[in-house]
Structures are given as C-alpha cells and as structure tokens.
Amino acid sequence: MLRTLLLKRTLPLTPRHSHSLLLRRFSATPEPASSTDAETRKYAGYAALLLFCGAATYYSFPLPDDAKHKKAQIFRYAPLPEDLHTVSNWSGTHEVQTRNFLQPENVEQLERVVREAHEKRTRIRPVGSGLSPNGIGLSRIGMVNLALMDGILEVDKQRKTVRVQAGIRVQQLVDGLKDHGLTLQNFASIREQQIGGIIQVGAHGTGAKLPPIDEQVIAMKLVTPSKGTIEISKDKDPELFYLARCGLGGLGVVAEVTLQCVDRQELVEHTFISTMKEIKKNHKKLLSDNKHVKYLYIPYTDSVVVVRCNPVSKWKGLPKFKPQYTKDEAIQHVRDLYRESLQKYGAEGSRGKSVEDGEQKIDELSFTELRDKLIALDPLNKKHIISINQAEAEFWRKSEGYRVGWSDEILGFDCGGQQWVSETCFPAGKLANPSMKDLEYIEELKQLIENEEIPAPAPIEQRWTASSRSPLSPASSPSEDDIFSWVGIIMYLPSTDARQRKDITEEFFHYRHLTQEKLWDRYSAFEHWAKIEVPKDKEELAALQARLRKRFPVDSYNKARKELDPNRILSNNMLQKLFAQSDII
C-alpha cells in the first residue's frame, strides 16, 4: 500500500485574528470628547488600519516559489489544509506545497504510480533527499520519492559490483558494503543523498584521475511513462543509457542501479596551508601524484588550504607527525573573536536582532558553528567577513597534520550551515598536461571579489575530476584524458531572520552574476545541475538556454523525453525552462 509522507508542516499563523482585534479596538465606544478630537481619532484610526492591512497583504500574499527570497515573510502562509505538505530543500532556499507526495514500497507500486500518472497526465516529479541547493527535484503539482525502496539487492564480490534500489542513501550503501570489503570509488562532501538523485544531477567527488559519480553506474532499471520498465546498460541501448545516467529525472524514474565498486581501503589525509605562489609551482604534481586533492581558498587572504588523500602505503606505513597545536588550541582564537564580536555588537546583530547563542557553550561549538554565529552578527559587512576569513586561515594553519581512516570517513567534509551555492565546471587540460586555466580562474575570481568589495566568506572550494561519457554531465568529454575543474562559491544563511536571509540572498546573486558575467564564457564554465538557478528575466533565460544548447545535446535529450515521457509527468518548471520546446503538453 502506498504511503504519503508529511515532510514538514508550517505553523498556522492567523493574521486575521490580529485584524479582528484591531477592528474591535476601533469600533469600541469612545469616551466623550469634542467633535474635532473625535474626527482626529477617526482619521488616525483609518490611517492605522490602512497601514496595517497594507503590511499584512505584503507579507502574507504568497509569491511564486522562485520569488520567495525577494521579501521577508512574517505571516508567510495561511493555515495549511491537513493534506497539504511543504517540501523544502536542505538550505530552505526552495520549497513547494503539494497534496501529491507518493512513496511506493516496491517496483510494482512504482510502475502503477507512473502508469496512472501518465494516463491522467498528472505530474509526479522524481525527488531524492531534497539536498540540491536549487530544488531541482521539487514540483508543486506532485512528486514521487523512493525513500522506502532503499535495499541492497545483490553484491558480486568477484566483479566488485552492487545492485541497489535507487532510494538507498549513500551512507546506507557504504555501510552495507563494508562486510563485503567494497566501497564506492568516489564521494561527494556529504552522504545523505539517495543514489538515484546523486547520479541524476551529475554529482562528483574529487581526484583528477577519478570521474564524476555517474561513471560508476554500469546498468539501470528505468520506469518510464510510455514504455514501462526498461533495463539499459552500455551493452543494452547504450545511447539511451549514457543519456539517462545523468538524465535529471526527466527520462524515467530510476528504480534500480548497478554500480561498479572498488576495494575498501584506508586513506591518509594530509591537510596543510600553502599560498598561490607555491600552488602554481606544485600544481601539476599535486594533481598527478594524489588520488584525491582539493584546494580551499580564503578570500582577502593569500592562504590556500590543501587537502590531499592517498591510500596507506604498505612500505612507508603511517606518517610520523606530531601536531604543533591541539584541536582546542587551534580553535581558541576563533572563540576569542566570537566573544570580542559579541561585545562589539552588544550581543546583537547588525539589525538589532538578538543573537541566538543556543544551549551549547561557546567552548563546545565546532569551527563551522562558530563561523555561522560570527557571520550572523553582520553578514554583509566586508570588514567583519575579512576578520572571520583571517581567523579561518589561522585555524587551518594550526590544524595542519594527518589523519587516517576509511575512504567513506575521510572524504567527507563539514560544509557548514545553510547556504547559497554556485558551482561551475570547466575544462582544465589533460592529466599529463594541465592547462593551468583552473588557477587563472581562481586568481581572477579573487581579484573580482576584492575589486567589487564582495563580503565573500570562505572557502572557495576547487576540486577536479576526470571526464564523463554521460552527454549531460558538465564534465562530459569523449577523451578519457581530459580533466575538469569544479569551483564553488558560497554565502551562508546563518539565521532564520527573514530580512537578513533576504539581504544575503540578494548579495549572493549579485556575487554570482558578476562571476557569470566576467568568467563563465571565457573559461567555458557551466553550472552544476543541482546548483543552477533559472533566471526570471526572459532575455537572461533565453541566453541561458542558448548557452546550454552549445554545450549539451538539448535536442537529443528533448527527443528522448518526448518518446519516454510525452506528457511531461516527470518534469517541473525548472526542467521545462532549461530545456524548452514548443510541443510541451
């Protein structure tokens, strides 16, 4: 039996009660007074009532989903009907309300759901864990989620493959593979994605010799609206297989996935601070000599945090290194900065809102938690952000060292709290001969930040992958020797204050627009599918559609969508705008 999940219920706020109280207040019998005083009170009451109604209308009238960030929402919504669900992404930047949120428990139920939706022409957009910063899986009309289809179906230790239901989360899968001595080849920063979702948006880990995660897929079971359930692989309908591996959920609901695994192994992670000058000298060697490597740039400083990971050497053993500082000593100056900043701002943020210190004491907060609290005090003050960035650079300098663990433990990364993210992917030459365009991009980006005085927090994260054979992957290339650089910029949303989040959102999109205008076309950079945002301006949207058409096989993708999903039941507004065509039903 199908089960519907209530993901989140917004609190019922009822502005009409306040309105009625106000009406009663003005309709109460006044004390005797002169006619002039009575007239004055009457018109003052009318003016107050008009102002109140105007404010209530502004703050409570629901804007479209893609425009919600434009205003602070005090009342936000009227009480929701009992059967209406609010589905939000992790950062709370995108959300929709729907009555149609379906969770089949097996393939047969999923087939029935898709078949009935196709017959009724009712949209059921596939949605995974809802982690994508742009809410690419969300649809107001309806969604289908495979969280209840999360099993490991078959493990082949000899071939090092695993067949899973697409709703299984990455961490669940990794834990299930431990006893078989296997793991996934690469990981994104977090482990909460469903397998079906992480492959469909072209997610990636890091390592110039390792491809994006979709390349680990060797076979799929796809439930399509018009052709039913089909099984595809590189040997069985290869053209559709490669297109559907990174298909953005538009070609069918991914029900099962067969993945190529690798032997589980321990890694040594080495973290150290460098400078751009040193990075330029060692960049080619860092890319070629390390299985995993990434750079974390800290704006308004010359500090570059280098994190590299390699298998434990059987010959060298574990590195002998004694850290100069303890973890507590490494973070102490950040705690001191927070205490000083609290005194400076009088325990209040830039808007006079009380800062929520929470139940934890300052000494119990992690670095990323402290950073969030520091930013929340004055998130768009460049000088304040620079002081936080400088503290972060010092924190990493005192945190230099090694750690050893299994790959699924080591390759994770604490990304911090809620945030806006824009990540681009662009070619960086060959593994044997990097073009160095990746470092030029960063130098220009940092200079842009300083010239435009953007309050850019740390880090700017740079990673690399090999190419993918999936045509819709941002790292798509017919050459296996090509490497691609992925660069992410962020702005944190460190509080729930609606006005503060609105101001940060506007500044972030200004920041993102400048990078697009100055860098993207010159470096052939394209945004990650889980982070791309659809412009509201018609001319900007047309320009984006033209850019996508130059890079990706839009016509082939739309043709496959028309054949497999002619009624567009698996689509949503984002997909329709990015891949527009005239015959949408």
Side-chain angles (χ1 to χ4, degrees):
M1 177 177 139
L2 291 177
R3 284 189 265 169
T4 305
L5 178 67
L6 176 60
L7 294 185
K8 185 178 77 175
R9 179 72 62 193
T10 53
L11 293 175
L13 300 176
T14 50
R16 63 174 180 274
H17 294 166
S18 301
H19 183 72
S20 61
L21 287 173
L22 190 64
L23 288 177
R24 286 200 296 272
R25 189 174 300 149
F26 283 118
S27 62
T29 304
E31 296 294 328
S34 66
S35 60
T36 302
D37 291 341
E39 287 293 311
T40 301
R41 286 195 299 273
K42 180 174 74 173
Y43 288 113
Y46 287 155
L49 181 61
L50 181 62
L51 288 172
F52 179 86
C53 291
T57 300
Y58 174 78
Y59 285 111
S60 60
F61 188 81
L63 288 178
D65 290 330
D66 59 1
K68 283 181 181 177
H69 67 271
K70 283 193 169 183
K71 68 175 187 178
Q73 299 172 45
I74 295 178
F75 297 135
R76 201 166 195 180
Y77 301 108
L80 291 172
E82 287 300 318
D83 62 341
L84 194 63
H85 309 300
T86 298
V87 186
S88 173
N89 70 340
W90 173 70
S91 281
T93 55
H94 294 269
E95 69 179 33
V96 296
Q97 289 77 43
T98 182
R99 286 186 172 87
N100 194 22
F101 190 89
L102 303 174
Q103 288 192 302
E105 297 182 17
N106 52 53
V107 173
E108 291 73 24
Q109 289 183 5
L110 175 60
E111 289 171 335
R112 185 166 70 249
V113 165
V114 173
R115 182 172 60 251
E116 290 177 356
H118 177 58
E119 292 170 354
K120 297 176 181 178
R121 299 190 178 190
T122 301
R123 185 171 296 168
I124 48 164
R125 173 70 175 156
V127 60
S129 303
L131 296 175
S132 297
N134 61 357
I136 192 172
L138 305 184
S139 171
R140 183 187 299 275
I141 301 174
M143 287 167 279
V144 60
N145 173 271
L146 303 190
L148 303 180
M149 295 174 59
D150 62 350
I152 295 177
L153 302 176
E154 180 184 10
V155 178
D156 188 329
K157 290 184 66 173
Q158 185 175 358
R159 296 183 180 179
K160 300 179 184 178
T161 63
V162 61
R163 183 166 61 91
V164 300
Q165 292 178 307
I168 192 170
R169 294 177 184 258
V170 173
Q171 191 62 58
Q172 283 179 271
L173 173 56
V174 169
D175 290 341
L177 289 173
K178 287 178 181 178
D179 291 340
H180 301 279
L182 301 174
T183 193
L184 299 181
Q185 185 184 51
N186 213 344
F187 297 94
S189 296
I190 53 178
R191 307 281 182 274
E192 294 306 309
Q193 308 96 326
Q194 290 180 10
I195 285 294
I198 197 172
I199 65 170
Q200 285 292 282
V201 296
H204 61 98
T206 188
K209 300 174 185 177
L210 303 173
I213 294 172
D214 57 276
E215 271 291 314
Q216 298 177 49
V217 179
I218 58 176
M220 300 168 63
K221 180 179 283 187
L222 210 61
V223 180
T224 70
S226 66
K227 294 189 177 182
T229 301
I230 58 176
E231 296 187 18
I232 52 179
S233 67
K234 62 180 181 180
D235 300 318
K236 190 174 183 180
D237 201 348
E239 184 177 352
L240 177 59
F241 168 68
Y242 288 121
L243 192 62
R245 280 200 312 189
C246 182
L248 310 180
L251 302 179
V253 183
V254 180
E256 294 179 10
V257 180
T258 302
L259 298 158
Q260 184 65 58
C261 300
V262 296
D263 290 326
R264 192 166 185 247
Q265 59 183 185
E266 284 189 299
L267 296 178
V268 179
E269 177 190 82
H270 181 202
T271 301
F272 61 95
I273 283 281
S274 187
T275 64
M276 182 58 84
K277 183 178 180 180
E278 289 299 314
I279 288 292
K280 285 181 177 179
K281 290 181 183 177
N282 303 315
H283 182 53
K284 294 181 180 181
K285 185 174 177 62
L286 284 167
L287 289 185
S288 62
D289 288 0
N290 295 287
K291 185 172 183 180
H292 308 274
V293 64
K294 65 182 175 185
Y295 302 159
L296 306 175
Y297 301 92
I298 302 178
Y300 294 103
T301 77
D302 192 35
S303 298
V304 185
V305 183
V306 180
V307 184
R308 57 182 182 178
C309 304
N310 293 291
V312 174
S313 172
K314 294 180 180 180
W315 307 106
K316 295 181 180 179
L318 299 179
K320 295 179 181 179
F321 177 83
K322 184 177 180 180
Q324 188 176 353
Y325 301 92
T326 65
K327 290 183 179 180
D328 198 58
E329 290 171 336
I331 201 174
Q332 187 56 49
H333 72 285
V334 185
R335 295 170 183 156
D336 294 340
L337 176 63
Y338 182 47
R339 291 188 176 97
E340 292 169 8
S341 299
L342 283 177
Q343 292 180 353
K344 176 182 177 181
Y345 288 96
E348 296 184 348
S350 59
R351 290 188 173 275
K353 298 287 184 182
S354 295
V355 177
E356 299 177 2
D357 286 335
E359 297 179 358
Q360 290 179 303
K361 296 179 180 178
I362 292 176
D363 289 347
E364 296 174 350
L365 297 174
S366 69
F367 168 73
T368 54
E369 290 169 332
L370 282 169
R371 180 175 60 194
D372 267 7
K373 288 184 174 295
L374 276 162
I375 291 173
L377 293 171
D378 206 351
L380 301 180
N381 183 323
K382 188 192 74 171
K383 290 184 178 180
H384 179 60
I385 296 299
I386 289 175
S387 70
I388 299 171
N389 289 355
Q390 291 170 341
E392 177 157 353
E394 182 66 7
F395 166 77
W396 285 111
R397 186 184 70 80
K398 292 181 177 179
S399 300
E400 289 183 323
Y402 295 84
R403 65 176 180 139
V404 179
W406 297 104
S407 59
D408 53 287
E409 300 165 348
I410 291 291
L411 295 177
F413 181 68
D414 185 353
C415 300
Q418 292 189 341
Q419 57 198 246
W420 279 107
V421 185
S422 174
E423 184 178 30
T424 56
C425 175
F426 56 93
K430 306 282 185 182
L431 181 59
N433 186 28
S435 66
M436 303 298 284
K437 291 287 186 182
D438 42 7
L439 298 188
E440 291 176 18
Y441 184 100
I442 293 295
E443 285 187 308
E444 288 200 48
L445 174 58
K446 290 185 68 179
Q447 191 62 54
L448 176 68
I449 290 169
E450 294 181 11
N451 291 345
E452 298 292 334
E453 299 188 332
I454 298 169
I460 297 170
E461 187 174 4
Q462 185 170 38
R463 294 182 282 176
W464 292 266
T465 67
S467 62
S468 167
R469 287 169 290 180
S470 301
L472 286 179
S473 169
S476 175
S477 172
S479 173
E480 294 183 2
D481 295 331
D482 286 347
I483 60 173
F484 289 81
S485 179
W486 304 71
V487 175
I489 61 171
I490 59 174
M491 276 195 175
Y492 299 98
L493 295 165
S495 80
T496 58
D497 179 70
R499 289 189 181 277
Q500 186 184 79
R501 290 173 72 95
K502 169 185 175 291
D503 291 343
I504 294 170
T505 296
E506 290 179 352
E507 183 64 29
F508 171 78
F509 276 93
H510 171 64
Y511 179 14
R512 175 184 171 276
H513 174 74
L514 288 173
T515 64
Q516 175 182 351
E517 183 180 58
K518 303 293 185 181
L519 300 172
W520 291 5
D521 284 339
R522 290 196 296 108
Y523 287 89
S524 298
F526 290 84
E527 277 191 297
H528 191 311
W529 291 116
K531 291 152 188 170
I532 192 171
E533 295 288 343
V534 178
K536 300 171 184 66
D537 181 81
K538 289 184 178 180
E539 292 185 3
E540 290 181 11
L541 176 59
L544 174 59
Q545 291 168 342
R547 285 190 88 243
L548 295 178
R549 187 170 287 276
K550 289 180 180 179
R551 176 70 176 96
F552 303 106
V554 172
D555 290 336
S556 297
Y557 181 61
N558 281 338
K559 181 182 177 183
R561 289 170 67 204
K562 186 176 181 180
E563 291 175 357
L564 299 173
D565 183 21
N567 295 335
R568 298 294 184 265
I569 69 163
L570 305 178
S571 187
N572 63 0
N573 291 335
M574 174 177 284
L575 222 59
Q576 288 180 186
K577 289 181 178 179
L578 293 178
F579 301 95
Q581 58 184 36
S582 59
D583 61 345
I584 293 176
I585 297 178

